[in-house]
Amino acid sequence: MTQPLLQVKGLTKRFKDRTVVRDVAFSIAEGSCAALLGPNGAGKTTTISMLAGLLQPTSGSIQLLDQSKPVTDRRMFIGYLPQMPVFYPWMTGREFLRYAAELAGLAGRDAVLKTDEWLENVGLQHAASRRIGGYSGGMKQRLGLAQALIHRPKLLILDEPVSALDPAGRKDVLNLLQRIRLETTVLFSTHVLHDAEEICDEILMIREGEIALQGKLDQIRREYSEPVIRIEVGGDPVSLKWMASISSKAFVRQAEITGNRARLTVTDVEKASFELMADAVSHQVAFRKFESGQSTLEDLFLKVVQA
Ligand SMILES: Nc1ncnc2c1ncn2[C@@H]1O[C@H](COP(=O)(O)OP(=O)(O)OP(=O)(O)O)[C@@H](O)[C@H]1O
Ligand SMILES: [Mg+2]
């Protein structure tokens, strides 16, 4: 069993009389990558700000362990990239990283070496002498990652690292994160499930400040996947009437029907397929589309978020 690197218990944040993070508990094992997943306003930034030490929790505890011993000052062990990082546009990438290295306690030759190493790691060596004001969003985000990692933190915390980027920038940063996560424990927030699936092995879903679901990604996928049938029929009255009747079938556990389309969670895909087809034929209803399979993590995410 891997020792947790971070252990959070009962974490709560209240602003005046509003509780925006409530009794959040989780742990992150060394070497893992966890995604804090939730819709806008769920409390991701508030949670992350408390972990990064920028916001004082109303109650609860955050413990970081270094070689199984609790750390009193987390800051040197954490690398952090905020949701909207602010850079001095007149500085060059190299100057900024050098400055970040010195702030992180590196000095002289060490700071110079680390600056060059990280410029290269994030693919900015060619742009190192250009002003940050002229960088693209993706380049700025890669510079931000270099800044967060330059002191070799044990835990990298990123708040929506790709949300503001165009597809190319997004791909660059996600590729970089794939590499980083092999060496560093990572926690990042996102409202995009796909990004979480691409990089992480653990997810923490939060909704209205509370953990709604957490666990290993593959385990959750297995545990929550259900047989699903999606069908589409014509828009004629006979078809629509038939559509409205199918939710009462015995094999349907849950039905979402909108006009000529339906998504059915069923008890047994094969049995449900035969019966639906036979029933449609006997009512002279033709399918435009018929698809059977398993529910995806996206379905689960939407269900959790909208519950
Ligand atoms: N300083 C503050 N004072 C009062 N309310 C706040 C403060 N900061 C955040 N909130 C509220 O807390 C809730 C959670 O905000 P938070 O920024 O943590 O959400 P988020 O999940 O990061 O959302 P987004 O996806 O939009 O970044 C929101 O309703 C927000 O309005
Ligand atoms: Mg946020």
Side-chain angles (χ1 to χ4, degrees), residues 282-302:
S282 74
H283 284 85
Q284 299 205 307
V285 171
F287 289 123
R288 274 193 193 160
K289 218 186 257 175
F290 191 101
E291 188 186 298
S292 68
Q294 296 285 334
S295 63
T296 62
L297 213 54
E298 183 78 40
D299 297 326
L300 176 64
F301 178 49
L302 290 175

Side-chain angles (χ1 to χ4, degrees), residues 130 132-142 165-166 169:
R130 279 165 45 197
I132 300 170
Y135 279 18
S136 70
M139 289 164 81
K140 281 188 192 152
Q141 209 64 339
R142 283 186 277 141
L165 301 180
D166 65 19

Side-chain angles (χ1 to χ4, degrees), residues 188-201:
F188 81 95
S189 75
T190 176
H191 59 262
V192 183
L193 177 73
H194 185 69
D195 297 341
E197 283 188 285
E198 211 160 301
I199 313 186
C200 288
D201 42 22

Side-chain angles (χ1 to χ4, degrees), residues 44-46 83 159-160 189:
K44 302 182 294 296
T45 298
T46 308
Q83 186 164 2
D159 196 359
E160 306 231 17
S189 75

